[in-house]
Every structure is written in structure tokens, then in C-alpha cells.
Amino acid sequence: MARASEHLNWVGLRYTNVFGSGEEQKGEMASILSQLLRQAAADVPVRLFADSLTASRDYVPVEVVARTCLALIDTPVPSGVYNLGSGAPVSFATLLEWSASFVQAPLAVQLVANPLSDRYQYWTGADLTKLRSVLPTLEHLDQDRIRRDARELFDEFRGGKP
């Protein structure tokens, strides 16, 4: 006799660093992209671990996550766990460059010792091959797109003023 669960389709999504509007409620757990943009927009020194300038993270806008979830509801896919990110990691140094360009001035950067250096995650990147194979309409994200969405978030932090 077959179990009912053997006939249920399910999807698990493994997100990378989701960012976007409303993230302030996460406090210190907000994405580093959001934290850096908020600090830059507030004209306060941007704080980073001294050993993390070459660290890279794979960022995905929350709107893309929502649209992907809706697409998966409407598209029958094999049960499984799928990665969801941009597939285009961005270094913290690049985030600082973007922030300086948004502020249109050099940033005050405060580099602090990393108390977690032995277990710090210096790189994340989503392999989207499996998800793209079942959801060909998946949005293509690259660093330019992440930068545009980061700019929108920065402007929001600045009170809507570019």
C-alpha cells in the first residue's frame, strides 16, 4: 500500500543572501549588503571585518524569491531541494565601491578584527543548474541587476532621495 506522502510533490528552496525592503526588522541578521547600504546612506562609518574585503556573497532580491515561489506553485516540478540565488557572487570590496558611488563620495570604512575567522563564511554562490532545468523562466540575475536593486534599497534608506 502506497503512502499518501509518496504522491505529494514538494519543493525545498535553499536561499542565498536574500535582501530587500523591510529587512531592518532583522537587525544584525540583515544581509551584509543591506547593512552596508544602510550605514552608507546614514553617512556613518561602514564597519567590516578586516579580513573580509575579498569575501563574496551571492545575493538575491526578495522580489525575485517571491516571484520564483509563485512560479513554482504554478509549474509542476520534481520533488527536491533547489538552490535559489543570483549565481553571481559579489565581493564586499565591490559592495563598498557601489556604496561610495551611491553616496558620490569616499566612504569612511572601519575595519575591525574578525572574532570568527576560523569559521567565517568567506564565499557563497548558488549553483542554479537544477532549478533552471525545471523552471526555464527563472529570472537571470547578474552583478548589474544586483547593483540596480542595491541602488534602489540605498535610495530607500536615504528617504527616497537619489
mmCIF file of all heavy atoms in Angstrom, residues 15-24 26 29-37 57-66 84-86 88 90 95 98 102 141-154 156-157:
data_model
loop_
_atom_site.group_PDB
_atom_site.id
_atom_site.type_symbol
_atom_site.label_atom_id
_atom_site.label_comp_id
_atom_site.label_asym_id
_atom_site.label_seq_id
_atom_site.Cartn_x
_atom_site.Cartn_y
_atom_site.Cartn_z
ATOM 1 N N TYR A 15 17.948 29.253 -0.086
ATOM 2 C CA TYR A 15 18.227 30.626 -0.494
ATOM 3 C C TYR A 15 19.656 31.020 -0.147
ATOM 4 O O TYR A 15 20.200 30.605 0.858
ATOM 5 C CB TYR A 15 17.315 31.625 0.228
ATOM 6 C CG TYR A 15 15.845 31.343 0.129
ATOM 7 C CD1 TYR A 15 15.078 31.144 1.262
ATOM 8 C CD2 TYR A 15 15.207 31.292 -1.103
ATOM 9 C CE1 TYR A 15 13.717 30.905 1.183
ATOM 10 C CE2 TYR A 15 13.855 31.059 -1.199
ATOM 11 C CZ TYR A 15 13.116 30.857 -0.045
ATOM 12 O OH TYR A 15 11.773 30.624 -0.135
ATOM 13 N N THR A 16 20.206 31.908 -0.976
ATOM 14 C CA THR A 16 21.454 32.550 -0.584
ATOM 15 C C THR A 16 21.068 33.802 0.193
ATOM 16 O O THR A 16 20.081 33.790 0.909
ATOM 17 C CB THR A 16 22.336 32.854 -1.814
ATOM 18 O OG1 THR A 16 21.602 33.669 -2.730
ATOM 19 C CG2 THR A 16 22.790 31.575 -2.502
ATOM 20 N N ASN A 17 21.771 34.879 0.071
ATOM 21 C CA ASN A 17 21.562 36.078 0.887
ATOM 22 C C ASN A 17 20.440 36.934 0.316
ATOM 23 O O ASN A 17 20.659 37.734 -0.594
ATOM 24 C CB ASN A 17 22.868 36.876 0.960
ATOM 25 C CG ASN A 17 23.960 36.053 1.605
ATOM 26 O OD1 ASN A 17 24.077 36.034 2.811
ATOM 27 N ND2 ASN A 17 24.729 35.337 0.798
ATOM 28 N N VAL A 18 19.251 36.757 0.857
ATOM 29 C CA VAL A 18 18.080 37.497 0.411
ATOM 30 C C VAL A 18 18.171 38.918 0.962
ATOM 31 O O VAL A 18 18.480 39.124 2.134
ATOM 32 C CB VAL A 18 16.786 36.817 0.899
ATOM 33 C CG1 VAL A 18 15.557 37.598 0.447
ATOM 34 C CG2 VAL A 18 16.724 35.365 0.416
ATOM 35 N N PHE A 19 17.898 39.900 0.094
ATOM 36 C CA PHE A 19 17.928 41.286 0.556
ATOM 37 C C PHE A 19 16.776 42.052 -0.053
ATOM 38 O O PHE A 19 16.221 41.656 -1.079
ATOM 39 C CB PHE A 19 19.263 41.967 0.212
ATOM 40 C CG PHE A 19 19.413 42.338 -1.241
ATOM 41 C CD1 PHE A 19 19.109 43.621 -1.681
ATOM 42 C CD2 PHE A 19 19.855 41.414 -2.174
ATOM 43 C CE1 PHE A 19 19.247 43.966 -3.022
ATOM 44 C CE2 PHE A 19 20.000 41.750 -3.516
ATOM 45 C CZ PHE A 19 19.696 43.034 -3.934
ATOM 46 N N GLY A 20 16.408 43.134 0.628
ATOM 47 C CA GLY A 20 15.369 43.997 0.083
ATOM 48 C C GLY A 20 14.685 44.823 1.139
ATOM 49 O O GLY A 20 15.065 44.816 2.314
ATOM 50 N N SER A 21 13.672 45.501 0.710
ATOM 51 C CA SER A 21 12.908 46.390 1.564
ATOM 52 C C SER A 21 12.294 45.612 2.736
ATOM 53 O O SER A 21 11.876 44.473 2.580
ATOM 54 C CB SER A 21 11.793 47.038 0.729
ATOM 55 O OG SER A 21 11.130 48.000 1.473
ATOM 56 N N GLY A 22 12.274 46.242 3.912
ATOM 57 C CA GLY A 22 11.683 45.624 5.090
ATOM 58 C C GLY A 22 12.654 44.799 5.908
ATOM 59 O O GLY A 22 12.291 44.216 6.924
ATOM 60 N N GLU A 23 13.894 44.761 5.499
ATOM 61 C CA GLU A 23 14.879 43.913 6.168
ATOM 62 C C GLU A 23 15.351 44.475 7.505
ATOM 63 O O GLU A 23 15.983 43.774 8.287
ATOM 64 C CB GLU A 23 16.071 43.721 5.221
ATOM 65 C CG GLU A 23 16.834 42.474 5.465
ATOM 66 C CD GLU A 23 17.959 42.267 4.464
ATOM 67 O OE1 GLU A 23 17.962 42.875 3.386
ATOM 68 O OE2 GLU A 23 18.851 41.482 4.799
ATOM 69 N N GLU A 24 15.043 45.732 7.777
ATOM 70 C CA GLU A 24 15.522 46.354 9.011
ATOM 71 C C GLU A 24 15.041 45.614 10.257
ATOM 72 O O GLU A 24 15.705 45.645 11.290
ATOM 73 C CB GLU A 24 15.147 47.838 9.075
ATOM 74 C CG GLU A 24 13.665 48.124 9.034
ATOM 75 C CD GLU A 24 13.080 48.142 7.625
ATOM 76 O OE1 GLU A 24 13.820 48.025 6.632
ATOM 77 O OE2 GLU A 24 11.852 48.240 7.525
ATOM 78 N N LYS A 26 15.240 42.637 10.815
ATOM 79 C CA LYS A 26 16.172 41.544 11.099
ATOM 80 C C LYS A 26 17.377 42.009 11.907
ATOM 81 O O LYS A 26 18.178 41.180 12.346
ATOM 82 C CB LYS A 26 16.617 40.895 9.794
ATOM 83 C CG LYS A 26 15.485 40.164 9.099
ATOM 84 C CD LYS A 26 15.713 39.725 7.659
ATOM 85 C CE LYS A 26 17.009 39.290 7.195
ATOM 86 N NZ LYS A 26 17.061 38.909 5.773
ATOM 87 N N MET A 29 20.967 40.532 11.870
ATOM 88 C CA MET A 29 20.873 39.375 10.982
ATOM 89 C C MET A 29 20.502 39.769 9.554
ATOM 90 O O MET A 29 20.382 38.918 8.684
ATOM 91 C CB MET A 29 19.854 38.358 11.535
ATOM 92 C CG MET A 29 20.262 37.780 12.882
ATOM 93 S SD MET A 29 21.951 37.136 12.919
ATOM 94 C CE MET A 29 21.805 35.750 11.828
ATOM 95 N N ALA A 30 20.319 41.065 9.302
ATOM 96 C CA ALA A 30 20.052 41.532 7.942
ATOM 97 C C ALA A 30 21.257 41.192 7.068
ATOM 98 O O ALA A 30 22.387 41.079 7.551
ATOM 99 C CB ALA A 30 19.792 43.036 7.941
ATOM 100 N N SER A 31 21.031 41.062 5.786
ATOM 101 C CA SER A 31 22.131 40.736 4.874
ATOM 102 C C SER A 31 23.221 41.802 4.984
ATOM 103 O O SER A 31 22.947 42.965 5.259
ATOM 104 C CB SER A 31 21.629 40.661 3.429
ATOM 105 O OG SER A 31 21.277 41.947 2.965
ATOM 106 N N ILE A 32 24.455 41.387 4.766
ATOM 107 C CA ILE A 32 25.567 42.332 4.843
ATOM 108 C C ILE A 32 25.388 43.426 3.795
ATOM 109 O O ILE A 32 25.720 44.591 4.043
ATOM 110 C CB ILE A 32 26.941 41.621 4.710
ATOM 111 C CG1 ILE A 32 28.090 42.586 4.989
ATOM 112 C CG2 ILE A 32 27.101 40.973 3.351
ATOM 113 C CD1 ILE A 32 28.184 43.049 6.414
ATOM 114 N N LEU A 33 24.815 43.096 2.652
ATOM 115 C CA LEU A 33 24.556 44.104 1.626
ATOM 116 C C LEU A 33 23.651 45.190 2.202
ATOM 117 O O LEU A 33 23.943 46.380 2.092
ATOM 118 C CB LEU A 33 23.901 43.444 0.411
ATOM 119 C CG LEU A 33 23.623 44.339 -0.786
ATOM 120 C CD1 LEU A 33 23.723 43.537 -2.073
ATOM 121 C CD2 LEU A 33 22.267 44.967 -0.688
ATOM 122 N N SER A 34 22.588 44.790 2.842
ATOM 123 C CA SER A 34 21.647 45.748 3.441
ATOM 124 C C SER A 34 22.317 46.556 4.554
ATOM 125 O O SER A 34 22.129 47.772 4.651
ATOM 126 C CB SER A 34 20.432 44.991 3.982
ATOM 127 O OG SER A 34 19.493 45.875 4.523
ATOM 128 N N GLN A 35 23.099 45.889 5.378
ATOM 129 C CA GLN A 35 23.776 46.590 6.476
ATOM 130 C C GLN A 35 24.735 47.657 5.949
ATOM 131 O O GLN A 35 24.762 48.782 6.451
ATOM 132 C CB GLN A 35 24.532 45.597 7.352
ATOM 133 C CG GLN A 35 23.628 44.685 8.163
ATOM 134 C CD GLN A 35 24.414 43.743 9.038
ATOM 135 O OE1 GLN A 35 25.359 44.157 9.712
ATOM 136 N NE2 GLN A 35 24.039 42.478 9.041
ATOM 137 N N LEU A 36 25.528 47.299 4.935
ATOM 138 C CA LEU A 36 26.483 48.258 4.369
ATOM 139 C C LEU A 36 25.765 49.434 3.714
ATOM 140 O O LEU A 36 26.163 50.586 3.894
ATOM 141 C CB LEU A 36 27.400 47.579 3.359
ATOM 142 C CG LEU A 36 28.357 46.522 3.895
ATOM 143 C CD1 LEU A 36 29.163 45.905 2.763
ATOM 144 C CD2 LEU A 36 29.257 47.077 4.970
ATOM 145 N N LEU A 37 24.711 49.149 2.971
ATOM 146 C CA LEU A 37 23.962 50.224 2.320
ATOM 147 C C LEU A 37 23.318 51.154 3.338
ATOM 148 O O LEU A 37 23.321 52.377 3.167
ATOM 149 C CB LEU A 37 22.886 49.646 1.400
ATOM 150 C CG LEU A 37 23.364 48.901 0.159
ATOM 151 C CD1 LEU A 37 22.183 48.278 -0.570
ATOM 152 C CD2 LEU A 37 24.168 49.810 -0.753
ATOM 153 N N ARG A 57 29.562 37.133 -1.521
ATOM 154 C CA ARG A 57 28.279 36.514 -1.221
ATOM 155 C C ARG A 57 27.412 36.554 -2.478
ATOM 156 O O ARG A 57 27.538 37.418 -3.326
ATOM 157 C CB ARG A 57 27.553 37.256 -0.102
ATOM 158 C CG ARG A 57 28.202 37.168 1.263
ATOM 159 C CD ARG A 57 27.907 35.866 1.919
ATOM 160 N NE ARG A 57 28.361 35.553 3.258
ATOM 161 C CZ ARG A 57 29.254 36.077 4.022
ATOM 162 N NH1 ARG A 57 29.867 37.096 3.653
ATOM 163 N NH2 ARG A 57 29.555 35.617 5.208
ATOM 164 N N ASP A 58 26.517 35.607 -2.550
ATOM 165 C CA ASP A 58 25.540 35.507 -3.630
ATOM 166 C C ASP A 58 24.251 36.129 -3.098
ATOM 167 O O ASP A 58 23.636 35.605 -2.184
ATOM 168 C CB ASP A 58 25.343 34.030 -3.963
ATOM 169 C CG ASP A 58 24.417 33.800 -5.140
ATOM 170 O OD1 ASP A 58 23.442 34.554 -5.290
ATOM 171 O OD2 ASP A 58 24.656 32.833 -5.881
ATOM 172 N N TYR A 59 23.868 37.269 -3.647
ATOM 173 C CA TYR A 59 22.682 37.996 -3.191
ATOM 174 C C TYR A 59 21.516 37.768 -4.137
ATOM 175 O O TYR A 59 21.710 37.667 -5.353
ATOM 176 C CB TYR A 59 22.977 39.504 -3.111
ATOM 177 C CG TYR A 59 24.116 39.811 -2.185
ATOM 178 C CD1 TYR A 59 25.391 40.040 -2.686
ATOM 179 C CD2 TYR A 59 23.932 39.840 -0.811
ATOM 180 C CE1 TYR A 59 26.448 40.293 -1.836
ATOM 181 C CE2 TYR A 59 24.983 40.096 0.048
ATOM 182 C CZ TYR A 59 26.242 40.318 -0.480
ATOM 183 O OH TYR A 59 27.294 40.563 0.367
ATOM 184 N N VAL A 60 20.320 37.726 -3.563
ATOM 185 C CA VAL A 60 19.114 37.578 -4.369
ATOM 186 C C VAL A 60 18.049 38.519 -3.809
ATOM 187 O O VAL A 60 17.781 38.517 -2.607
ATOM 188 C CB VAL A 60 18.627 36.107 -4.416
ATOM 189 C CG1 VAL A 60 18.301 35.560 -3.046
ATOM 190 C CG2 VAL A 60 17.445 35.947 -5.358
ATOM 191 N N PRO A 61 17.472 39.358 -4.669
ATOM 192 C CA PRO A 61 16.424 40.276 -4.211
ATOM 193 C C PRO A 61 15.184 39.513 -3.744
ATOM 194 O O PRO A 61 14.779 38.519 -4.358
ATOM 195 C CB PRO A 61 16.108 41.118 -5.449
ATOM 196 C CG PRO A 61 17.299 40.963 -6.345
ATOM 197 C CD PRO A 61 17.825 39.583 -6.073
ATOM 198 N N VAL A 62 14.580 39.983 -2.679
ATOM 199 C CA VAL A 62 13.407 39.312 -2.115
ATOM 200 C C VAL A 62 12.279 39.220 -3.135
ATOM 201 O O VAL A 62 11.526 38.236 -3.140
ATOM 202 C CB VAL A 62 12.957 39.994 -0.796
ATOM 203 C CG1 VAL A 62 12.415 41.394 -1.048
ATOM 204 C CG2 VAL A 62 11.947 39.127 -0.053
ATOM 205 N N GLU A 63 12.159 40.199 -4.015
ATOM 206 C CA GLU A 63 11.115 40.159 -5.036
ATOM 207 C C GLU A 63 11.317 38.974 -5.981
ATOM 208 O O GLU A 63 10.350 38.358 -6.434
ATOM 209 C CB GLU A 63 11.077 41.466 -5.841
ATOM 210 C CG GLU A 63 10.660 42.671 -5.043
ATOM 211 C CD GLU A 63 11.829 43.344 -4.308
ATOM 212 O OE1 GLU A 63 12.993 42.863 -4.424
ATOM 213 O OE2 GLU A 63 11.586 44.329 -3.600
ATOM 214 N N VAL A 64 12.566 38.649 -6.282
ATOM 215 C CA VAL A 64 12.860 37.501 -7.144
ATOM 216 C C VAL A 64 12.498 36.207 -6.421
ATOM 217 O O VAL A 64 11.947 35.283 -7.025
ATOM 218 C CB VAL A 64 14.340 37.508 -7.587
ATOM 219 C CG1 VAL A 64 14.713 36.215 -8.303
ATOM 220 C CG2 VAL A 64 14.608 38.715 -8.476
ATOM 221 N N VAL A 65 12.777 36.150 -5.136
ATOM 222 C CA VAL A 65 12.404 34.975 -4.342
ATOM 223 C C VAL A 65 10.890 34.782 -4.399
ATOM 224 O O VAL A 65 10.398 33.675 -4.647
ATOM 225 C CB VAL A 65 12.895 35.109 -2.883
ATOM 226 C CG1 VAL A 65 12.327 33.996 -2.012
ATOM 227 C CG2 VAL A 65 14.420 35.111 -2.829
ATOM 228 N N ALA A 66 10.144 35.865 -4.189
ATOM 229 C CA ALA A 66 8.678 35.771 -4.198
ATOM 230 C C ALA A 66 8.164 35.324 -5.568
ATOM 231 O O ALA A 66 7.315 34.422 -5.653
ATOM 232 C CB ALA A 66 8.073 37.117 -3.809
ATOM 233 N N LEU A 84 18.457 28.754 -4.742
ATOM 234 C CA LEU A 84 17.922 29.982 -5.309
ATOM 235 C C LEU A 84 18.800 31.142 -4.867
ATOM 236 O O LEU A 84 18.887 31.464 -3.684
ATOM 237 C CB LEU A 84 16.474 30.223 -4.870
ATOM 238 C CG LEU A 84 15.833 31.518 -5.370
ATOM 239 C CD1 LEU A 84 15.924 31.639 -6.887
ATOM 240 C CD2 LEU A 84 14.386 31.602 -4.900
ATOM 241 N N GLY A 85 19.465 31.729 -5.822
ATOM 242 C CA GLY A 85 20.328 32.888 -5.598
ATOM 243 C C GLY A 85 20.504 33.571 -6.934
ATOM 244 O O GLY A 85 19.733 33.344 -7.866
ATOM 245 N N SER A 86 21.536 34.371 -7.036
ATOM 246 C CA SER A 86 21.816 35.014 -8.317
ATOM 247 C C SER A 86 22.786 34.173 -9.143
ATOM 248 O O SER A 86 22.804 34.268 -10.364
ATOM 249 C CB SER A 86 22.415 36.406 -8.104
ATOM 250 O OG SER A 86 23.710 36.300 -7.531
ATOM 251 N N ALA A 88 25.804 34.828 -9.015
ATOM 252 C CA ALA A 88 26.832 35.824 -9.337
ATOM 253 C C ALA A 88 27.324 36.489 -8.044
ATOM 254 O O ALA A 88 26.905 37.594 -7.712
ATOM 255 C CB ALA A 88 26.274 36.874 -10.285
ATOM 256 N N VAL A 90 29.160 38.607 -5.223
ATOM 257 C CA VAL A 90 29.707 39.965 -5.228
ATOM 258 C C VAL A 90 30.608 40.115 -4.011
ATOM 259 O O VAL A 90 30.196 39.787 -2.891
ATOM 260 C CB VAL A 90 28.571 41.019 -5.171
ATOM 261 C CG1 VAL A 90 29.137 42.429 -5.178
ATOM 262 C CG2 VAL A 90 27.583 40.819 -6.316
ATOM 263 N N LEU A 95 30.909 45.824 -2.973
ATOM 264 C CA LEU A 95 29.795 46.487 -2.275
ATOM 265 C C LEU A 95 30.222 47.860 -1.770
ATOM 266 O O LEU A 95 29.450 48.820 -1.842
ATOM 267 C CB LEU A 95 29.295 45.643 -1.111
ATOM 268 C CG LEU A 95 28.627 44.318 -1.446
ATOM 269 C CD1 LEU A 95 28.188 43.617 -0.169
ATOM 270 C CD2 LEU A 95 27.459 44.494 -2.395
ATOM 271 N N TRP A 98 30.302 50.180 -4.777
ATOM 272 C CA TRP A 98 28.941 50.579 -5.133
ATOM 273 C C TRP A 98 28.433 51.640 -4.167
ATOM 274 O O TRP A 98 27.882 52.661 -4.586
ATOM 275 C CB TRP A 98 27.998 49.393 -5.095
ATOM 276 C CG TRP A 98 28.199 48.357 -6.153
ATOM 277 C CD1 TRP A 98 29.073 48.395 -7.207
ATOM 278 C CD2 TRP A 98 27.516 47.119 -6.236
ATOM 279 N NE1 TRP A 98 28.967 47.237 -7.948
ATOM 280 C CE2 TRP A 98 28.017 46.429 -7.378
ATOM 281 C CE3 TRP A 98 26.546 46.486 -5.478
ATOM 282 C CZ2 TRP A 98 27.554 45.179 -7.764
ATOM 283 C CZ3 TRP A 98 26.081 45.243 -5.857
ATOM 284 C CH2 TRP A 98 26.582 44.592 -6.988
ATOM 285 N N PHE A 102 27.126 55.422 -4.840
ATOM 286 C CA PHE A 102 25.775 55.874 -4.497
ATOM 287 C C PHE A 102 25.838 57.161 -3.665
ATOM 288 O O PHE A 102 25.052 58.075 -3.858
ATOM 289 C CB PHE A 102 25.010 54.808 -3.714
ATOM 290 C CG PHE A 102 24.810 53.499 -4.436
ATOM 291 C CD1 PHE A 102 24.517 52.349 -3.711
ATOM 292 C CD2 PHE A 102 24.924 53.383 -5.819
ATOM 293 C CE1 PHE A 102 24.327 51.119 -4.350
ATOM 294 C CE2 PHE A 102 24.735 52.167 -6.463
ATOM 295 C CZ PHE A 102 24.441 51.027 -5.721
ATOM 296 N N LEU A 141 19.912 36.688 -13.169
ATOM 297 C CA LEU A 141 20.473 37.749 -12.327
ATOM 298 C C LEU A 141 21.973 37.801 -12.541
ATOM 299 O O LEU A 141 22.632 36.774 -12.611
ATOM 300 C CB LEU A 141 20.183 37.481 -10.852
ATOM 301 C CG LEU A 141 18.716 37.392 -10.450
ATOM 302 C CD1 LEU A 141 18.590 36.976 -8.998
ATOM 303 C CD2 LEU A 141 18.026 38.715 -10.677
ATOM 304 N N ASP A 142 22.490 39.010 -12.644
ATOM 305 C CA ASP A 142 23.928 39.196 -12.730
ATOM 306 C C ASP A 142 24.302 40.347 -11.795
ATOM 307 O O ASP A 142 23.438 40.925 -11.127
ATOM 308 C CB ASP A 142 24.368 39.460 -14.170
ATOM 309 C CG ASP A 142 23.683 40.665 -14.804
ATOM 310 O OD1 ASP A 142 23.125 41.516 -14.069
ATOM 311 O OD2 ASP A 142 23.716 40.781 -16.035
ATOM 312 N N GLN A 143 25.583 40.676 -11.737
ATOM 313 C CA GLN A 143 26.008 41.735 -10.825
ATOM 314 C C GLN A 143 25.366 43.079 -11.166
ATOM 315 O O GLN A 143 25.077 43.861 -10.257
ATOM 316 C CB GLN A 143 27.534 41.860 -10.805
ATOM 317 C CG GLN A 143 28.175 40.795 -9.955
ATOM 318 C CD GLN A 143 29.606 41.129 -9.600
ATOM 319 O OE1 GLN A 143 30.108 42.222 -9.868
ATOM 320 N NE2 GLN A 143 30.278 40.175 -8.983
ATOM 321 N N ASP A 144 25.122 43.350 -12.443
ATOM 322 C CA ASP A 144 24.474 44.613 -12.806
ATOM 323 C C ASP A 144 23.071 44.702 -12.210
ATOM 324 O O ASP A 144 22.656 45.748 -11.716
ATOM 325 C CB ASP A 144 24.402 44.783 -14.329
ATOM 326 C CG ASP A 144 25.767 45.034 -14.953
ATOM 327 O OD1 ASP A 144 26.679 45.502 -14.240
ATOM 328 O OD2 ASP A 144 25.917 44.761 -16.155
ATOM 329 N N ARG A 145 22.338 43.609 -12.266
ATOM 330 C CA ARG A 145 20.984 43.588 -11.699
ATOM 331 C C ARG A 145 21.035 43.743 -10.179
ATOM 332 O O ARG A 145 20.243 44.485 -9.585
ATOM 333 C CB ARG A 145 20.279 42.294 -12.100
ATOM 334 C CG ARG A 145 18.995 42.012 -11.345
ATOM 335 C CD ARG A 145 17.904 43.078 -11.598
ATOM 336 N NE ARG A 145 16.811 42.913 -10.678
ATOM 337 C CZ ARG A 145 15.841 42.028 -10.818
ATOM 338 N NH1 ARG A 145 15.802 41.231 -11.865
ATOM 339 N NH2 ARG A 145 14.894 41.940 -9.910
ATOM 340 N N ILE A 146 21.967 43.047 -9.545
ATOM 341 C CA ILE A 146 22.094 43.148 -8.085
ATOM 342 C C ILE A 146 22.450 44.590 -7.722
ATOM 343 O O ILE A 146 21.910 45.154 -6.765
ATOM 344 C CB ILE A 146 23.150 42.156 -7.547
ATOM 345 C CG1 ILE A 146 22.760 40.712 -7.909
ATOM 346 C CG2 ILE A 146 23.327 42.308 -6.047
ATOM 347 C CD1 ILE A 146 21.399 40.270 -7.442
ATOM 348 N N ARG A 147 23.320 45.219 -8.501
ATOM 349 C CA ARG A 147 23.698 46.612 -8.241
ATOM 350 C C ARG A 147 22.489 47.539 -8.374
ATOM 351 O O ARG A 147 22.298 48.438 -7.553
ATOM 352 C CB ARG A 147 24.808 47.062 -9.201
ATOM 353 C CG ARG A 147 25.353 48.447 -8.887
ATOM 354 C CD ARG A 147 26.399 48.873 -9.925
ATOM 355 N NE ARG A 147 27.127 50.051 -9.498
ATOM 356 C CZ ARG A 147 26.654 51.295 -9.548
ATOM 357 N NH1 ARG A 147 25.424 51.521 -9.999
ATOM 358 N NH2 ARG A 147 27.395 52.307 -9.144
ATOM 359 N N ARG A 148 21.681 47.334 -9.399
ATOM 360 C CA ARG A 148 20.480 48.183 -9.572
ATOM 361 C C ARG A 148 19.535 48.040 -8.381
ATOM 362 O O ARG A 148 19.011 49.032 -7.871
ATOM 363 C CB ARG A 148 19.748 47.821 -10.868
ATOM 364 C CG ARG A 148 20.393 48.396 -12.107
ATOM 365 C CD ARG A 148 19.485 48.288 -13.329
ATOM 366 N NE ARG A 148 19.008 46.935 -13.600
ATOM 367 C CZ ARG A 148 19.663 46.035 -14.327
ATOM 368 N NH1 ARG A 148 20.830 46.336 -14.862
ATOM 369 N NH2 ARG A 148 19.142 44.846 -14.540
ATOM 370 N N ASP A 149 19.317 46.805 -7.933
ATOM 371 C CA ASP A 149 18.431 46.596 -6.789
ATOM 372 C C ASP A 149 19.060 47.149 -5.508
ATOM 373 O O ASP A 149 18.354 47.669 -4.640
ATOM 374 C CB ASP A 149 18.100 45.113 -6.633
ATOM 375 C CG ASP A 149 17.070 44.649 -7.653
ATOM 376 O OD1 ASP A 149 16.941 45.286 -8.713
ATOM 377 O OD2 ASP A 149 16.397 43.633 -7.390
ATOM 378 N N ALA A 150 20.384 47.051 -5.399
ATOM 379 C CA ALA A 150 21.080 47.628 -4.245
ATOM 380 C C ALA A 150 20.909 49.145 -4.251
ATOM 381 O O ALA A 150 20.697 49.765 -3.200
ATOM 382 C CB ALA A 150 22.555 47.245 -4.265
ATOM 383 N N ARG A 151 20.975 49.747 -5.423
ATOM 384 C CA ARG A 151 20.790 51.196 -5.529
ATOM 385 C C ARG A 151 19.388 51.606 -5.071
ATOM 386 O O ARG A 151 19.212 52.597 -4.363
ATOM 387 C CB ARG A 151 21.040 51.666 -6.972
ATOM 388 C CG ARG A 151 20.766 53.156 -7.191
ATOM 389 C CD ARG A 151 21.670 53.988 -6.281
ATOM 390 N NE ARG A 151 21.223 55.350 -6.152
ATOM 391 C CZ ARG A 151 21.959 56.407 -6.471
ATOM 392 N NH1 ARG A 151 23.177 56.240 -6.960
ATOM 393 N NH2 ARG A 151 21.498 57.605 -6.284
ATOM 394 N N GLU A 152 18.390 50.847 -5.479
ATOM 395 C CA GLU A 152 17.017 51.137 -5.051
ATOM 396 C C GLU A 152 16.894 51.055 -3.525
ATOM 397 O O GLU A 152 16.233 51.887 -2.904
ATOM 398 C CB GLU A 152 16.033 50.181 -5.711
ATOM 399 C CG GLU A 152 15.821 50.443 -7.181
ATOM 400 C CD GLU A 152 14.877 49.449 -7.824
ATOM 401 O OE1 GLU A 152 14.112 48.766 -7.102
ATOM 402 O OE2 GLU A 152 14.896 49.363 -9.070
ATOM 403 N N LEU A 153 17.529 50.050 -2.941
ATOM 404 C CA LEU A 153 17.475 49.899 -1.489
ATOM 405 C C LEU A 153 18.214 51.050 -0.806
ATOM 406 O O LEU A 153 17.734 51.608 0.186
ATOM 407 C CB LEU A 153 18.069 48.548 -1.083
ATOM 408 C CG LEU A 153 17.922 48.164 0.385
ATOM 409 C CD1 LEU A 153 16.454 48.143 0.816
ATOM 410 C CD2 LEU A 153 18.565 46.796 0.628
ATOM 411 N N PHE A 154 19.371 51.433 -1.345
ATOM 412 C CA PHE A 154 20.110 52.573 -0.821
ATOM 413 C C PHE A 154 19.236 53.830 -0.845
ATOM 414 O O PHE A 154 19.157 54.564 0.135
ATOM 415 C CB PHE A 154 21.392 52.795 -1.631
ATOM 416 C CG PHE A 154 22.132 54.051 -1.266
ATOM 417 C CD1 PHE A 154 23.024 54.067 -0.206
ATOM 418 C CD2 PHE A 154 21.925 55.235 -1.969
ATOM 419 C CE1 PHE A 154 23.700 55.214 0.142
ATOM 420 C CE2 PHE A 154 22.596 56.394 -1.636
ATOM 421 C CZ PHE A 154 23.483 56.387 -0.572
ATOM 422 N N GLU A 156 16.059 54.013 -0.834
ATOM 423 C CA GLU A 156 15.013 53.858 0.189
ATOM 424 C C GLU A 156 15.576 54.237 1.564
ATOM 425 O O GLU A 156 14.920 54.946 2.325
ATOM 426 C CB GLU A 156 14.504 52.420 0.201
ATOM 427 C CG GLU A 156 13.419 52.155 1.215
ATOM 428 C CD GLU A 156 12.965 50.712 1.193
ATOM 429 O OE1 GLU A 156 12.773 50.156 0.089
ATOM 430 O OE2 GLU A 156 12.802 50.142 2.290
ATOM 431 N N PHE A 157 16.783 53.776 1.872
ATOM 432 C CA PHE A 157 17.407 54.110 3.151
ATOM 433 C C PHE A 157 17.667 55.607 3.273
ATOM 434 O O PHE A 157 17.666 56.153 4.359
ATOM 435 C CB PHE A 157 18.723 53.355 3.341
ATOM 436 C CG PHE A 157 18.556 51.864 3.534
ATOM 437 C CD1 PHE A 157 19.569 50.995 3.163
ATOM 438 C CD2 PHE A 157 17.403 51.323 4.081
ATOM 439 C CE1 PHE A 157 19.447 49.635 3.349
ATOM 440 C CE2 PHE A 157 17.263 49.955 4.252
ATOM 441 C CZ PHE A 157 18.285 49.113 3.894
#
